[in-house]
Every structure is written in structure tokens, then in C-alpha cells.
Amino acid sequence: MSRAMIPSQQKLAEKLTILNDRGIGMLTRIYNIKKMLGNNDNKPPFLSDKTMDSAIKSILRKFPQYDIKQGQLNVVNTMKSEVTKSLSLYYYTFVDILDFKDHVVDLLTTIDACQVHMDITSSFDLTRNYLDLISTYVSIMILVSKVEDRKTVLGLFNVAHEFLHGKGDLAYPRLGQMFLDYDMPMKKLSEEFVPHSRFLMPALLSLHDVYPRRNLPAEQMRNHQFLSLLSEPSKMSTVPNTDMIQCEYHSLDIMERWIIFGLMLCYQHVSEAKAWDLWKTALSSAYIIQLCRDEVLHIHSYVVNFFDSLKGHNIQHKRVTEVKELQTLALQTAPAVHRERRKFLRTMLRELSLVFSDQPGLLGPKGMFVVQGLSMARDEIHWLLRHVVNPPSKRHNIKLSQEDFYDRQLPELLFYMEELKGLVKKYNQVIQRYYVQYLMGYDAVYLNQLIQNLAMCPEDESVILSSFYNTISALSVKQVEENELFDFRGLRLDWFRLQSYTSMSKAGLILKDHRDLARHLNTVIFHTKMVDALDELLNETGDLSIYCFYTNLFEHQFKQCMEFPAQHRFSIIFPMICGHFMNATHPLCPEERHSIGTTSVQYAHWFLREMSEEVNQVITAICEEQCMLSYKLLPKHSAAAILHTVQRKKNKEKKNREIKEPEKPGQESIRKNRENFTRMDKLHMALTELCYALNYCNIITVWEHGFVPREFFLQHLETRFNKALVGMMMYNPETSEIAKPSELLNGVRAYMNVLQSIENYVHIDIARVFNNVLPQQTQATDSTGEKTVTSNYTNWYLEVLLRRVTVNIGQIVYSPSQKAFVSLSSDGAAPFAAEEYADLTELRALAELIGPYGMKYMGERLMLNIASQVDELKKLVIINKDVLIQLRTSFDKPETMRELSRKLQKTKPVSTSHKNAPSDVDIVLMRMTMVGVLLAFRGLAQEALRDVLGDRIPFLMGSVKDLHHYVPNTKDAMPASLKIQVVNELASSAGLTCAVDPTLCNALRTLKSEHAEDEYTLACLLMVFIAVSIPKLAKGDAAKYRAHLEGHRNNSHCLAKGINSLAGALFTIYGPGDVEDRLKEFLALASSSLLRLGQEQDKESIKQRESVYLLLDLIVQESPFLTMDLLESCFPYALLRNAYHSVYKMSAGDN
């Protein structure tokens, strides 16, 4: 005797929940298998191996039967371990699908046996899960039939398994039969579902009232004021009234899949009126439906093939014709319908976003609108993606408008979806508080009334209903205030169970007879979700992880957004969508988590990088414009205005025609009409929009990675600013062209002003950018190893400017009075204007640009050049050592001095035998002049640095000066000389002048002595060499003194700096610190040598005698060790006075 079926023991709710989740997992796994086997790079290599062809053909010939003893299969035996290992994942996935199929068939049979009545409007959870299971089951079987090499994989694995274990896998016969049966899956499934159609059809027909309401065109939605909060202000704070609350936000895509797959399974019932309405509407709404992710069906062609496969059914010919007509209708109308719907949703979501932002309290009563709007927008985006990527066949001869598919304003719709989700998450406590009050204050009371009104209620059902009432009536607002975690999952599962109990034919309580109770409990379920499952609800309705599988289109839409300025502010949505990608993963397919996660991180990074680049391009364009405007304000551009004024006065006198006035700075701001957008207006608008996007969210979480958009922007801004600083120099090593420091400083200030204004657009610390970038420019290379402003200017001043000064003798002169290097014109040619680059103003600008560190680097490089010259000078001293020793001790013997000096002047370098080659004396003077010029430039740069630091850090400079003047005399272990050295280093870095230059000392210390001579003696002899060589300068016109420049044409006045600085450094390093004594010796020798000029009879030798006399005065004035008294004891002051009188008189005559 058969026992009665007890509804509660069938566990329908539990089975449906578990099988649906497992079905999604199986669908995900078979999707991945299809992708892997469809790609030659990913599938096992032996499947493409030529040696395996014969074995594969043998397996497929009578699949699933094969003869293991066939010779063709021996190749499988040789690699059986590799085959089983490589194909096991695929094979056991097919085994799991077979197992899933068995459970589905078993559950559907149980549902039939229980005679469960399905109705989406009353038993929503039961009907939805039932239809989802069927839809997933059909999708899996269709997807399996589309997997390439499925029979090959199955057969190869079983053959290898048999070779390995002596027998085939137990599941193989059934799997092979399943592959054969479901080769045309819909035909086999429709046969299977003949007994199930009795219960499937009512479930589908219950959609008749729901689906058309969800599938309205945009015009009707506008007329019905759908999703509008402002259409009826009086009802703004009331809860929307609906009979089927979960149906309002359920996915339209999923409903269409239910209808199409369900009616294909029950094709005999398509002719029924309600079924035909559903069938017609679903097939005219789209021509592509989703199977899994980006795997789709061209549904009309698939349905036609299915009907054609049903032989012996004459009525199917009519169905085929109808489907083809519906396909034409879908192709003609669906794209425009969906385009208009997207437009409508964009407007309505914007309205919702604005209203909820202003009045977040409305998220309580109108929370339903949020999930409705998100669900509809999500469906439209899914529809668009799959229809753009899968265009219809050209044989339909229907031209589709591309405007219907390439929606330039789609980022706005995506943005408002994310905006609404953000508002819900932000104000979740507002929503919780509202619905907790609603549940305990209204839902519990009304539920109690409905329970009391039940005429008869079995005990089990009564217990469940009572637990519902007790659970929601026990809620309180205090739980929300105390941040207590709510969990209503048990209540929702109990309602699911109750639906399954009360939907059976022999149930004690028939749910379809108590629609008010069903409707109210469905509403209660939604309200509980708004309390404890907001995140799940938002993921269910607003998940955009589908983009993970349409990456090419994702990129295209982003690029389109960046090209359309009106959509710039919504560009941040693209990296935010990357945070959705992990929602596409499933626990049953863990191997894809890493690849999807990596994809999401890579795309988020790429989007933010491109956005940052775009913002930086706009900023660069604005900076260039501002730099140009600032350049026009430079004093040199006033010349055009002055010239115009002069010419206009002349024209008035001559009554000539008026000359066109040059454009003045500021005219670009004059407007006749505000509507006329200038380029700067457009750039500022673009900057505003892009900065809005970057400033929209603080952090974007993508696969446990945190992306901070503003940090991306800052990093790119720093890189761009770094390159811009070097680029603004316009340095060309080939032509030796470079921007003047003052002009570069002017441009940098304009650039920085623009960057500072960015703080008005986006919350960033621009001072951090300056602090990170500008110090890098004070070093020789930046953080990337590229040359900096300091490096380029140092190279240019040392290798170009100062080289020209020393090579082109008489063309560029250092002028102490003008504190500049001055170019002298020659033969009417336009010379290089050295004063435009090397005067105090320009060097101050340079000091501001590269700061103390940069100036220190330049000084060190300069001193290394001096050190190399000193090394060459030492070599000359060694060559002439014997003569110099005699000269050193004979300064009081005029005749001896004269003979030795002549001997010295005749000495020429050993390396040359040229008749006109310079003598060693000439070389010494030339190299010492070079040293003097370098030190003159160094002194000018130090003065510029001192001025700049005095303006920027006056108090700190005061302290440095005090330290320098009063070296601390503390009682500690540090020697006094070391203290002086440390203080001098500090003072020199601050631009102060030291008696002994520490930088020069350090440079000279680095010289490696190639000889074992006494360095101190060499230094003394070098000073002797210089002293006895000075009279040679009196020959020729090059040493002529220019009074207005306060210098000699050949820069021999720079010898004073060179002699004093070298003496101080050399005798500090190599000697006992007797700088003063050695300079006295030098003065005695030099004065003795110069006094002999008065006895010279050769006029050529004394041509510029007076100019050379002045050198002694300059040496004493420059020296911190010598005094005028000492000079007068060696050299008559009357000679100096007469020399000054003579050269100034001569200069006045020349001028």
C-alpha cells in the first residue's frame, strides 16, 4: 500500500534553493570549458596533435562505443596519465552536469506528484525558483551542445582511464548517451517536459499580468509618471501601492528567458491566447537572449530550427512563419524602443538621485523606486551589450541604425545607477529605521488581522505564521540606534517553505484562496530585505559585472566618454564598475577568481591612468595658454607699444595714415557675448568636469585592492610637471639654445598659479606636488634618472657660455661694475648677448629656480673645471721648476730676474714644434684667466643666491652670517680648523663669501697627483710663475682696460680673483696655512716684474703697461689677506694713480 505524500517532507523550498545555486555553478563551469576548448591556446595541446587524429576519429566513429584493442588507440596508451590529468576537470564537470540533471528531473517529478500550483503573483519565491531552475537547466543543456570537442574529451578520457585502471569510468555510458540525446537539446527537452507542462504552463501564464507591465515603451512610462517622485508632491512620502512587490523589480531579461524557454518546452500550448501574447511580446523585444555571461542565442533562428526539427507536425510550419515575422518586427522596432527607454531611465534616475541627495529621508517610503530603477537600467545595459556585440545576420536585409546602439550618454545612466546605490549605502540607517517601524507598526498588525480571519489553518502553517508575527512585532527602533545586526533569512526561508506547503493540491491551507495573505507576506519579505539585506538587494538589481565579459566594448565606451566633454564628469563610473567584476564568480568555479580579479584590477588601473592623463593634458593646455599670456607681459614686449606711440606722433605731424595698434595683453578677456566660448572656457569646463569625476569618491575597492583616484591624478601631475619644467627650458644641445632663467621663472610661476587653482576643483594638496617635484629639479637627475633644470643650466653655463668667454677672447667681458658678462660687438656683427643670460638679474632667477642645492651643484662642477686647469698648471711648473726656483730667490736682483724671465718666456711646450705656438708663460696666463673667469661667474652666482635667500629666509640668513662672522668657540673635542671648515661649508652654501672657498678646496683635494713632488713647493712655484708672467700681458691690445666695464678686454682683470682664490685654497690644503706670507711673496715678485716694464725700450712690450699696472691694485682689493699699505711698500702708489688716470682718459677718448 502506497503511503501518502507529506508536503513538509518533500523539502521543495530547500531543494529548489540548493539546485538553483548548483545550476548557476554548473553553468559557470561549462561556460569556462567552452571558452577553453574553443581557444587553441588554452585547450590541451594533444587535442591538436596530428598523431592523435587517428585515435580521435576512431573514438568518434561509433561514439560512445569503441574497441579498446584497436591499434589507433595505442597512442592514447603512451600518454594516458597526461590525458587523464588534463581532461579530468572537463570530464568530471560533465559528470556533475549529469548528476545535476538527475536531481532536476527527480525534483520536477516530485513537484508534478505533489500537484504544486505555481503563481508568480502569490507564491513568488516558489514560482521564481521553479522557473529559474528550468531556465538554468535548459541553458546548461544548450551550452553543453555548443561545446566543441565534447565527445572527443569524453572518449579520450575514458580510453585513457581504461588503459590506466583496466576499466572505463562508471558514468561514461550514461554521459555518452546524454551527449547523443541532447545533440539537439530543445527537441529532447520538449519531449521530457510533456508531463511537466501541466504545471509549467500555469507558472508561465501567471506572468501575463506582470510581464506586459514591466515591458512598457518609454512613452507609456512617461504618461504613467513611472518612477517620478515629483509628479504627485502630496504623495511623495507615501509607500507605493503594488499587488506584486517583488515582480516590480525582478529582471526583465530573466522573465523573457522563462517565457521563451518555457513555451519552447511546451510548444503545444503556444496557440493559447495568454501564451501567445507572452510569446509574441518576448520575441519582439529582442533578437538575442543570454545563456550565460557573453554566451548568447540568436533566438529566432534557434526557435525556427527547433520547430523545423519537429517532424510530422504540420502546424509547426505556421509557427515558423510567425517567428520569422516576429524576428523582422524585433529587428525593426526593438533597438529604437530600448534607446528611448534608456533616455527615459537616464532622466528618471537623475531625478531620483537629486531628490534623494537633497531629502534622504524619502529613501524610506520610496526605496522601492531605487531598486525598480536599478533593475530596469541594468536590464537595458545587458540588452545593449549583447545586441551591440552580436549583430544580426546580413541576410535579413534590414538596415539597423547605429545611433540606436552606440549611446554616447550611456556613462550618465551608469553613473546615476552607482549614485543611487551609494546613497542607499550612505543612508542605510535611515532606511533601516523606517522599515523597522513599518514592520512593527503596520505589517505586524495587519498580518495578525489576516491570521485571525483565516477560517481554517493547520497546525504547521499556524506555527509558521505565528512565528512571522512574533518576529516582526518584536522589532524596535532602539535596535537600529544600537547598530544591532538584523537577520531575517530564517523568516524568508520559512515563507518559501510555507508557499511550497500551501501550493500543493491537498494542502490544508490553499494559498491561492488567500491572496491578501500572500500579497502581504510578499510585501513583508521585501521590507525585511530593506532592513538586513540591502547590499544583496543592490547587487541583485544593480550588478554590472557583465562588463567583465565585454571588455572591448567596455574600452570603447570609455574612450567614447573621454571624447565627449559633456560626459567627462561621469567617466569615474568605469573604474567603479570594475569593482563589480568579482560578483560574476561562483564558489563552484574557484579557478576563475584570479583571472577575473586580475582583469578587474588591470582595467581599473588603466581607466584611472587614462583619466589622469586626460586631466593633465587639459591642465597642460591651460598652463601653456597662461604661460603665453604671462610671456606677453614681460618688459621686453613694451618696446612694440613704445615704437607705435613714437610712430603715431610722427604720422600726426606728417598727416600720414594711421598705423594699426599692436594688440595689448588683456584683450583676450574682452567679450561681446558671453555665449561665445573661447578655447580657455572650453578647457576650464573640461577641467571642471574631469576633476568632478576624480573627486567623486575617495577610494574604489576592486578585488581587495584600493584605488584612490586623486592619488593617481597627483602621481601623473607630478610626472607631467617634472617634464614640463625641463621642457619649458627649450634646451637644444645641438644648437646650444636655452631659455633665459628669468623667462623660465616667469613661465614656472604662471604654471604653478594654474596648478594652485586646481585645488578649487579637486581636494588635493598641490603644495605636496611642488614639494615633490621642485626639489628634484635642484639635483643633477630626477627620480626617473632624467636630466633636470639644474643639470641643463649647469651644462649650458659651463660648456657654452663660459667656453665662449674663454675661447672668444675680447668678445665677452666680465664687468664688475655691471655685475654681468657683457658681449662686445665686433665688425658690425650681431654678437651673442651674454648679458641676457649672465647678469645678476638672470642669475637671481636661476637661484630661485634651482635653489641652494642646484647652485651648490653648479659650483662643484665649476670648481672641478678649475681643478683640471690647476692640474695642467702644475705640469708646467714641474717643467720649468729650476728656473722658477731661481726666480723665487732673485726678486731683488733686476738683471737676474730679467734674464730668467726671458728664458722662461722662450720656453714652449714639449709636445709642439710650431713656430707661433704659445709659450709656457702664455699658457699659464691663459689658464689662469680661465680660472679667474670661472671664479668671477662663481662670485656672481653666489651673490645672486645670497640676494634670493636674503629675501626668502632673512632670519635664517641672519643666523648663518652670525655663525660665519663669529665661529663658535665651544669647549669640545672638535678642532678649531674643523669648526671653521664646517662653518665655511654652511656659509658657502648660503652664498656668503669665504676667505678660503671650501668648494674649491674640496675640488683640489680630489686631484690625484701623478708625481711625487712636494705639493706645497709646487704651489709656491706656481705663484712665482704667475707673478713673473703678468708683465707679458702688456703686449697687444687684448689687455686694454675698459673703464665703463671696469675690466680688461681679455678678462685679465679676473686674474685677481683667480690668484687670491687659488692661493687661499692651495696653501690651506698643502701648507701650514701661511696664505698671507705666500701672497706677500707673490706681491713682491709681481711688483718687481711690473716695475721692470718702466725700463723696457720695446714699445710693443709696454703697449698696455698702464692697464696691467691696475692688476696689482685689483689683486689687493680682492684679497682678504693683503692690504694697500703692503702694496705701497712694493709698488709706488703714484704709478697706480697715473695708470688709472691714463686708462680712464683713453677710454673717454675711445667713447
Side-chain angles (χ1 to χ4, degrees):
M1 186 177 76
S2 62
R3 300 174 64 182
M5 186 172 283
I6 303 171
S8 61
Q9 291 180 355
Q10 302 312 309
K11 308 286 185 186
L12 296 184
E14 290 85 345
K15 288 179 181 177
L16 281 169
T17 303
I18 293 166
L19 279 178
N20 266 313
D21 182 63
R22 189 165 178 79
I24 299 299
M26 290 294 101
L27 199 57
T28 306
R29 281 171 63 180
I30 200 66
Y31 167 88
N32 279 290
I33 286 174
K34 182 182 182 303
K35 291 293 182 188
M36 290 169 75
L37 291 176
N39 187 336
N40 288 329
D41 295 334
N42 292 331
K43 70 179 180 181
F46 55 78
L47 290 178
S48 308
D49 195 345
K50 295 289 183 185
T51 58
M52 193 68 81
D53 283 353
S54 58
I56 292 172
K57 286 177 182 175
S58 174
I59 289 169
L60 296 179
R61 192 176 297 120
K62 294 182 180 179
F63 182 84
Q65 303 297 325
Y66 61 84
D67 184 0
I68 193 70
K69 296 177 182 178
Q70 281 185 330
Q72 294 96 324
L73 298 181
N74 288 336
V75 67
V76 181
N77 192 23
T78 60
M79 50 195 309
K80 55 194 174 190
S81 297
E82 184 187 348
V83 170
T84 51
K85 183 179 178 181
S86 299
L87 299 182
S88 60
L89 176 66
Y90 307 138
Y91 180 84
Y92 289 114
T93 296
F94 293 135
V95 171
D96 288 342
I97 287 171
L98 180 64
D99 183 52
F100 172 74
K101 173 183 173 295
D102 292 342
H103 282 95
V104 170
V105 170
D106 182 50
L107 180 58
L108 292 176
T109 305
T110 303
I111 289 172
D112 291 352
C114 293
Q115 298 182 3
V116 180
H117 173 76
M118 304 285 182
D119 187 342
I120 197 79
T121 59
S122 55
S123 52
F124 174 83
D125 296 306
L126 179 64
T127 310
R128 186 198 66 186
N129 278 276
Y130 176 71
L131 292 174
D132 272 347
L133 183 64
I134 292 170
S135 173
T136 304
Y137 175 45
V138 172
S139 297
I140 289 171
M141 301 318 291
I142 293 174
L143 208 52
V144 168
S145 71
K146 293 164 84 68
V147 174
E148 295 178 19
D149 298 331
R150 60 188 182 281
K151 293 179 181 177
T152 303
V153 167
L154 204 65
L156 276 177
F157 179 86
N158 199 60
V159 169
H161 189 280
E162 192 165 343
F163 277 128
L164 202 61
H165 301 286
K167 60 179 180 179
D169 187 72
L170 295 176
Y172 176 74
R174 289 190 64 218
L175 268 177
Q177 193 58 45
M178 183 182 82
F179 279 10
L180 291 177
D181 292 345
Y182 290 88
D183 208 35
M184 296 183 68
M186 287 311 298
K187 184 178 180 183
K188 177 65 177 175
L189 286 167
S190 63
E191 292 170 4
E192 269 184 30
F193 269 79
V194 169
H196 305 314
S197 61
R198 182 179 158 202
F199 301 98
L200 175 57
M201 280 309 296
L204 292 173
L205 295 178
S206 69
L207 293 168
H208 188 265
D209 294 331
V210 177
Y211 177 64
R213 282 179 54 182
R214 291 292 316 280
N215 199 22
L216 292 174
E219 194 57 39
Q220 288 187 36
M221 289 185 185
R222 283 193 190 93
N223 294 338
H224 295 157
Q225 297 292 329
F226 185 69
L227 293 179
S228 177
L229 289 171
L230 306 177
S231 58
E232 295 181 278
S234 60
K235 295 183 180 179
M236 191 179 284
S237 60
T238 58
V239 178
N241 187 23
T242 174
D243 293 339
M244 34 198 166
I245 196 161
Q246 280 106 332
C247 298
E248 298 292 348
Y249 61 86
H250 198 261
S251 172
L252 197 63
D253 281 350
I254 291 174
M255 285 189 194
E256 286 174 352
R257 265 206 308 278
W258 290 349
I259 292 165
I260 293 169
F261 286 158
L263 290 176
M264 284 176 76
L265 295 173
C266 306
Y267 63 89
Q268 303 91 341
H269 300 272
V270 171
S271 56
E272 295 175 15
K274 285 187 176 181
W276 170 249
D277 285 345
L278 291 170
W279 177 253
K280 177 179 154 186
T281 310
L283 285 178
S284 59
S285 293
Y287 47 89
I288 305 287
I289 67 165
Q290 182 187 37
L291 283 175
C292 178
R293 296 173 174 175
D294 60 336
E295 280 296 324
V296 297
L297 279 181
H298 288 261
I299 190 58
H300 298 88
S301 306
Y302 197 79
V303 173
V304 166
N305 293 336
F306 166 62
F307 283 149
D308 286 342
S309 69
L310 300 173
K311 295 179 181 178
H313 298 78
N314 294 329
I315 198 164
Q316 304 312 329
H317 178 69
K318 180 186 175 186
R319 293 276 170 264
V320 168
T321 307
E322 289 169 349
V323 170
K324 288 181 178 178
E325 289 173 359
L326 291 171
Q327 182 177 23
T328 304
L329 182 64
L331 289 168
Q332 289 174 339
T333 62
V337 167
H338 286 274
R339 180 196 67 212
E340 291 303 315
R341 200 179 286 168
R342 287 195 302 275
K343 283 184 184 177
F344 167 76
L345 285 170
R346 190 166 59 243
T347 307
M348 296 319 298
L349 292 190
R350 186 195 303 122
E351 180 187 305
L352 289 175
S353 174
L354 291 171
V355 173
F356 287 143
S357 298
D358 187 57
Q359 298 293 331
L362 290 175
L363 281 166
K366 298 299 182 183
M368 177 70 179
F369 280 11
V370 175
V371 290
Q372 272 183 290
L374 288 175
S375 176
M376 292 187 69
R378 187 267 324 274
D379 288 339
E380 290 307 313
I381 288 156
H382 280 224
W383 187 97
L384 182 67
L385 293 181
R386 63 176 181 268
H387 283 78
V388 168
V389 175
N390 302 284
S393 173
K394 292 181 179 178
R395 61 188 173 82
H396 297 298
N397 294 324
I398 295 174
K399 191 174 181 180
L400 299 177
S401 171
Q402 292 304 308
E403 291 180 7
D404 293 339
F405 296 98
Y406 289 98
D407 188 349
R408 291 207 303 173
Q409 293 177 307
L410 186 68
E412 188 175 352
L413 179 61
L414 296 170
F415 178 83
Y416 287 125
M417 286 180 70
E418 202 64 31
E419 173 97 336
L420 285 172
K421 288 171 70 176
L423 287 170
V424 170
K425 289 175 182 177
K426 182 178 179 180
Y427 297 109
N428 68 322
Q429 276 206 334
V430 173
I431 298 169
Q432 278 187 331
R433 176 186 288 268
Y434 180 85
Y435 282 102
V436 163
Q437 289 177 310
Y438 203 101
L439 282 164
M440 69 178 188
Y442 174 77
D443 288 338
V445 174
Y446 186 47
L447 178 61
N448 190 39
Q449 289 179 12
L450 292 171
I451 294 171
Q452 300 299 327
N453 293 338
L454 290 176
M456 183 186 71
C457 184
E459 185 180 350
D460 289 349
E461 284 81 345
S462 177
V463 169
I464 293 175
L465 288 171
S466 299
S467 74
F468 289 169
Y469 170 74
N470 293 333
T471 301
I472 62 177
S473 62
L475 295 171
S476 72
V477 176
K478 191 176 180 183
Q479 291 173 284
V480 180
E481 292 171 350
E482 292 176 353
N483 290 324
E484 187 177 320
L485 288 177
F486 295 93
D487 189 356
F488 295 112
R489 286 177 298 177
L491 185 148
R492 290 192 284 270
L493 183 58
D494 281 346
W495 169 228
F496 191 1
R497 289 173 177 139
L498 188 61
Q499 290 174 48
S500 64
Y501 302 161
T502 56
S503 297
M504 296 182 185
S505 59
K506 295 179 180 178
L509 177 68
I510 306 296
L511 192 62
K512 65 180 179 180
D513 297 336
H514 299 86
R515 288 191 171 273
D516 287 344
L517 177 65
R519 190 183 307 119
H520 183 61
L521 281 171
N522 281 331
T523 305
V524 168
I525 294 305
F526 173 73
H527 292 170
T528 61
K529 284 185 177 181
M530 293 298 280
V531 175
D532 74 327
L534 265 175
D535 287 341
E536 291 173 26
L537 198 56
L538 292 176
N539 281 340
E540 180 188 339
T541 55
D543 177 47
L544 295 172
S545 59
I546 189 69
Y547 270 110
C548 182
F549 311 102
Y550 291 97
T551 50
N552 290 336
L553 189 56
F554 199 27
E555 284 182 38
H556 173 76
Q557 288 176 355
F558 174 75
K559 289 173 183 174
Q560 198 176 44
C561 175
M562 299 312 288
E563 290 166 5
F564 188 26
Q567 293 292 304
H568 278 169
R569 66 166 41 208
F570 308 118
S571 55
I572 191 64
I573 191 60
F574 290 93
M576 291 176 78
I577 287 173
C578 294
H580 296 204
F581 285 8
M582 295 308 291
N583 294 339
T585 59
H586 194 277
L588 287 181
C589 192
E591 60 270 20
E592 70 173 1
R593 282 186 63 82
H594 185 266
S595 63
I596 290 178
T598 304
T599 302
S600 66
V601 169
Q602 286 173 346
Y603 270 98
H605 187 277
W606 184 73
F607 289 139
L608 288 170
R609 190 186 71 219
E610 290 297 309
M611 287 171 66
S612 299
E613 279 296 318
E614 186 70 21
V615 182
N616 280 306
Q617 283 178 14
V618 173
I619 291 170
T620 302
I622 293 172
C623 288
E624 286 172 358
E625 195 82 15
Q626 289 294 337
C627 288
M628 187 58 65
L629 294 175
S630 181
Y631 179 73
K632 288 179 181 178
L633 290 172
L634 289 174
K636 67 180 183 179
H637 291 107
S638 62
I642 295 168
L643 180 63
H644 174 264
T645 306
V646 172
Q647 287 178 341
R648 191 172 59 184
K649 286 179 180 177
K650 286 181 180 178
N651 288 338
K652 279 184 180 179
E653 291 170 6
K654 296 180 180 180
K655 297 183 179 178
N656 288 349
R657 64 185 179 82
E658 190 71 23
I659 297 173
K660 186 181 177 182
E661 186 177 356
E663 185 178 328
K664 292 182 180 178
Q667 282 187 313
E668 70 281 343
S669 300
I670 299 171
R671 303 170 186 268
K672 291 182 180 177
N673 188 344
R674 185 62 193 168
E675 292 177 1
N676 295 335
F677 258 37
T678 63
R679 180 169 180 266
M680 283 294 281
D681 291 335
K682 291 174 183 175
L683 288 171
H684 277 290
M685 185 64 73
L687 180 62
T688 305
E689 297 294 293
L690 287 164
C691 285
Y692 176 88
L694 289 173
N695 207 40
Y696 180 72
C697 55
N698 293 327
I699 189 166
I700 299 171
T701 304
V702 179
W703 192 40
E704 298 177 358
H705 291 67
F707 290 89
V708 183
R710 291 196 286 268
E711 284 298 317
F712 260 82
F713 168 57
L714 273 175
Q715 287 175 10
H716 284 81
L717 185 61
E718 286 177 13
T719 305
R720 181 68 68 111
F721 185 35
N722 219 352
K723 290 179 180 176
L725 288 173
V726 178
M728 288 163 72
M729 296 176 68
M730 298 179 287
Y731 179 47
N732 187 341
E734 294 176 3
T735 60
S736 299
E737 292 177 353
I738 199 166
K740 291 194 283 187
S742 59
E743 291 184 5
L744 176 60
L745 180 61
N746 189 59
V748 169
R749 282 174 174 162
Y751 209 106
M752 290 173 71
N753 286 337
V754 174
L755 294 186
Q756 281 180 312
S757 70
I758 296 171
E759 290 183 334
N760 300 327
Y761 300 92
V762 61
H763 296 153
I764 58 170
D765 181 12
I766 207 69
R768 175 185 143 190
V769 175
F770 296 156
N771 291 336
N772 286 348
V773 173
L774 294 176
Q776 289 185 40
Q777 294 302 319
T778 67
Q779 306 301 312
T781 56
D782 62 16
S783 57
T784 60
E786 296 294 323
K787 289 186 176 179
T788 59
V789 172
T790 296
S791 175
N792 287 336
Y793 268 126
T794 299
N795 287 338
W796 189 87
Y797 274 105
L798 297 184
E799 304 300 329
V800 178
L801 178 72
L802 294 176
R803 189 177 292 277
R804 285 179 181 176
V805 175
T806 53
V807 172
N808 303 322
I809 297 171
Q811 290 186 15
I812 302 174
V813 179
Y814 170 64
S815 170
S817 62
Q818 296 181 25
K819 293 191 176 179
F821 283 84
V822 181
S823 294
L824 303 178
S825 58
S826 58
D827 303 327
F832 164 74
E835 59 271 22
E836 291 189 7
Y837 292 88
D839 68 351
L840 197 56
T841 304
E842 293 298 332
L843 290 175
R844 279 176 187 152
L846 181 65
E848 282 207 54
L849 284 167
I850 65 177
Y853 283 110
M855 297 299 274
K856 183 178 173 66
Y857 171 77
M858 181 184 280
E860 287 170 352
R861 281 281 308 275
L862 186 142
M863 292 305 180
L864 287 174
N865 284 0
I866 292 174
S868 66
Q869 296 296 332
V870 171
D871 200 38
E872 295 299 320
L873 287 167
K874 283 182 181 178
K875 291 175 184 176
L876 290 173
V877 169
I878 293 167
I879 292 168
N880 298 284
K881 185 178 179 184
D882 295 337
V883 178
L884 291 171
I885 290 171
Q886 292 178 52
L887 279 167
R888 186 181 182 189
T889 56
S890 306
F891 67 91
D892 54 348
K893 301 172 186 175
E895 289 300 322
T896 309
M897 286 283 287
R898 184 178 290 111
E899 288 302 318
L900 291 171
S901 296
R902 284 176 182 168
K903 186 178 178 181
L904 197 63
Q905 288 181 18
K906 289 177 182 177
T907 309
K908 295 193 176 183
V910 180
S911 60
T912 180
S913 59
H914 197 274
K915 189 171 77 172
N916 294 324
S919 66
D920 286 353
V921 170
D922 294 326
I923 294 171
V924 166
L925 289 172
M926 182 184 68
R927 291 195 182 280
M928 277 305 297
T929 305
M930 286 184 189
V931 170
V933 167
L934 292 172
L935 286 168
F937 178 78
R938 158 79 168 169
L940 206 56
Q942 287 290 88
E943 185 178 350
L945 176 62
R946 187 163 65 248
D947 292 347
V948 169
L949 293 180
D951 289 340
R952 298 292 293 274
I953 47 171
F955 300 108
L956 189 58
M957 278 298 289
S959 301
V960 173
K961 286 176 183 176
D962 286 345
L963 275 171
H964 185 223
H965 196 267
Y966 306 102
V967 177
N969 189 20
T970 54
K971 293 180 179 178
D972 51 29
M974 186 182 287
S977 59
L978 191 56
K979 288 180 186 177
I980 293 170
Q981 185 182 336
V982 170
V983 171
N984 281 349
E985 288 274 1
L986 172 66
S988 178
S989 298
L992 299 179
T993 305
C994 301
V996 178
D997 194 323
T999 313
L1000 181 57
C1001 291
N1002 291 335
L1004 291 173
R1005 283 194 186 97
T1006 60
L1007 286 178
K1008 290 184 180 177
S1009 182
E1010 296 176 0
H1011 37 76
E1013 301 288 344
D1014 179 16
E1015 292 287 356
Y1016 177 71
T1017 304
L1018 287 180
C1020 293
L1021 293 178
L1022 175 59
M1023 299 309 292
V1024 172
F1025 206 158
I1026 297 166
V1028 298
S1029 301
I1030 288 174
K1032 185 73 180 288
L1033 291 170
K1035 275 189 175 184
D1037 294 329
K1040 187 176 182 180
Y1041 189 81
R1042 293 295 185 93
H1044 69 286
L1045 296 176
E1046 291 188 1
H1048 300 78
R1049 277 193 61 181
N1050 63 353
N1051 285 309
S1052 54
H1053 60 287
C1054 295
L1055 283 170
K1057 282 185 180 293
I1059 291 163
N1060 281 300
S1061 297
L1062 273 187
L1066 288 171
F1067 296 121
T1068 300
I1069 299 170
Y1070 303 129
D1074 55 345
V1075 182
E1076 190 174 337
D1077 294 339
R1078 298 285 67 78
L1079 279 173
K1080 284 178 182 177
E1081 182 184 5
F1082 168 82
L1083 198 58
L1085 280 166
S1087 59
S1088 172
S1089 301
L1090 286 173
L1091 285 170
R1092 285 203 314 276
L1093 287 177
Q1095 301 170 6
E1096 283 285 345
Q1097 300 301 319
D1098 184 9
K1099 289 187 178 180
E1100 283 297 319
S1101 299
I1102 59 171
K1103 199 172 185 181
Q1104 300 297 334
R1105 183 175 60 188
E1106 283 75 14
S1107 295
V1108 176
Y1109 281 169
L1110 303 186
L1111 268 177
L1112 281 179
D1113 185 43
L1114 293 174
I1115 290 168
V1116 174
Q1117 287 179 24
E1118 287 281 348
S1119 176
F1121 304 101
L1122 299 175
T1123 63
M1124 289 303 293
D1125 293 344
L1126 189 61
L1127 175 61
E1128 202 164 347
S1129 67
C1130 302
F1131 195 84
Y1133 188 74
L1135 280 178
L1136 278 178
R1137 187 174 64 247
N1138 290 337
Y1140 272 113
H1141 179 73
S1142 175
V1143 295
Y1144 271 84
K1145 186 177 179 181
M1146 195 180 299
S1147 293
D1150 291 345
N1151 293 334

